Amino acid sequence: PGLYPDQIRAYDSVRRNGDLSVRVSMCLAGWGFGDPAQEATVQQRVDYTGVATGAGDDWLRFDTVKFMPDGGVGDRTALMFEPYEGEPDNYGQFVVSERDLFNNVAWCHDRGWSIDSHACGDRMMEMAVRAYAASYDRRPDQKIRHRVHHAYLPTETALQLMREYRIPALATIPFLTNLGESFVTSLGESRAARMLPLRTYLDAGVPLALASDAPVTTHNPFVGIYSAVTRKTVYGRELGPDERISREEAIRLYTSDAAWVTFEDGIKGSITPGKVADLAVLDRDLLLVPEEEITEVTSAMTVIDGRIVYDTLDR
């Protein structure tokens, strides 16, 4: 979720004390979080920061304004073009109306803020992408990179606009493993198999990155890589095996391509001279272990900013 002023202040306090142990890109809480008092003050809070996307340093920076315009698939509240299984009148819901979504996207865009929109339903995803495209058409800005969070079910229109306007899909791929059975229950196996279509995104030329959405699911990237490579739920059901990607592609989508989404590819995302020295030494070869062991991969040594902060290697 997005952050409120007291939470931003807490991060800044830890940063000032030199105790921040990971690099943080902060999303401001925008519209759709369910508190009327907070909703009424979004514009004021965003304006009072006095900054925009990219402000900060390599450790703590402002990234986006977070929107929550629809719900989820498992609880049948994501906004869909087709109804949920067994509920012919249930197409999900608007948490933020179409009019408000377009207006609020434009308001943030004009102030230099990238937007991260939670969009689980295909109808909401297309709507968010159209709102982004409209703002780009009206006022092009190369320092803004709006994105779609979750990005479960892209329509052909969404894919076309995302490719044309370079709108990234931030796919929370561990959901396919950890929540995949709930997707089948809500949508049926055929539609569930089309969710989080990584191969479709890549083949369509859409910018793509992988993420966890922790704590909703595990933050463990190796669970995400397993999910991307196998397309298996916790019960072993394969959902859309034609949407599998390779291990090499999954690693890239968690690292260099993810850094591009947040304008940080110049400082991180690859082990390259001149970039920050953040890296992990794994306890086994991620490219060679059997598929079912991918989730067991872990870090044997972790380096942050050139300092070893975790080490189990036997030298």
Side-chain angles (χ1 to χ4, degrees):
L3 300 179
Y4 292 103
D6 56 338
Q7 296 164 320
I8 295 169
R9 191 174 299 110
Y11 274 107
D12 186 55
S13 175
V14 174
R15 171 74 175 103
R16 288 172 180 272
N17 291 338
D19 295 327
L20 198 61
S21 58
V22 294
R23 302 182 194 275
V24 177
S25 292
M26 297 181 293
C27 299
L28 306 186
W31 290 269
F33 290 92
D35 183 338
Q38 295 284 4
E39 297 276 306
T41 62
V42 172
Q43 292 186 358
Q44 183 182 45
R45 285 188 284 108
V46 172
D47 263 348
Y48 277 8
T49 64
V51 296
T53 289
D57 59 25
D58 293 350
W59 282 96
L60 185 63
R61 62 188 293 275
F62 287 100
D63 184 16
T64 68
V65 176
K66 182 68 181 284
F67 285 39
M68 286 279 289
D70 77 343
V73 169
D75 61 4
R76 302 184 176 216
T77 55
L79 190 65
M80 296 288 187
F81 280 114
E82 300 174 41
Y84 287 92
E85 283 287 290
E87 296 184 55
D89 297 324
N90 183 9
Y91 292 81
Q93 64 188 49
F94 288 94
V95 178
V96 177
S97 71
E98 181 172 9
R99 178 181 177 181
D100 286 347
L101 178 66
F102 272 73
N103 287 342
N104 293 335
V105 165
W107 187 89
C108 292
H109 182 99
D110 289 350
R111 283 155 182 78
W113 282 99
S114 297
I115 297 162
D116 181 300
S117 286
H118 159 115
C120 290
D122 52 2
R123 184 178 175 190
M124 181 51 70
M125 181 172 176
E126 183 173 309
M127 196 178 302
V129 170
R130 287 194 290 106
Y132 294 164
S135 284
Y136 282 128
D137 283 342
R138 184 177 49 79
R139 185 173 179 172
D141 192 333
Q142 296 300 313
K143 296 181 180 180
I144 290 175
R145 193 163 286 156
H146 304 314
R147 60 186 184 241
V148 182
H149 200 103
H150 302 307
Y152 283 166
L153 289 163
T155 62
E156 286 301 319
T157 296
L159 288 171
Q160 178 182 346
L161 290 173
M162 294 171 81
R163 177 177 61 248
E164 180 180 352
Y165 290 89
R166 306 299 293 158
I167 297 169
L170 190 61
T172 48
I173 193 62
F175 283 15
L176 199 66
T177 292
N178 294 333
L179 303 179
E181 292 298 324
S182 73
F183 298 159
V184 174
T185 300
S186 293
L187 301 180
E189 188 162 358
S190 178
R191 266 200 292 173
R194 293 190 280 110
M195 294 183 65
L196 292 160
L198 305 187
R199 177 54 58 199
T200 293
Y201 280 127
L202 292 176
D203 290 349
V206 171
L208 178 64
L210 300 183
S212 69
D213 208 53
V216 178
T217 59
T218 176
H219 65 278
N220 187 339
F222 305 111
V223 173
I225 291 171
Y226 169 83
S227 186
V229 169
T230 68
R231 303 282 300 185
K232 289 181 180 179
T233 72
V234 288
Y235 291 157
R237 186 201 307 254
E238 289 188 346
L239 288 178
D242 55 328
E243 293 290 349
R244 292 172 178 162
I245 62 173
S246 70
R247 301 184 198 199
E248 291 87 347
E249 288 171 321
I251 293 168
R252 189 186 76 235
L253 294 173
Y254 261 111
T255 54
S256 59
D257 287 13
W260 178 86
V261 170
T262 58
F263 291 102
E264 295 177 285
D265 49 317
I267 64 166
K268 65 182 185 181
S270 63
I271 303 174
T272 307
K275 293 189 178 182
V276 296
D278 297 352
L279 57 95
V281 179
L282 305 184
D283 67 341
R284 65 200 82 180
D285 192 331
L286 180 56
L287 298 177
L288 297 179
V289 297
E291 280 188 352
E292 297 304 319
E293 293 182 19
I294 292 176
T295 59
E296 299 173 14
V297 174
T298 189
S299 176
M301 183 175 74
T302 306
V303 178
I304 302 293
D305 204 37
R307 296 178 293 108
I308 297 174
V309 296
Y310 176 77
D311 188 4
T312 65
L313 293 177
D314 184 14
R315 293 180 177 79

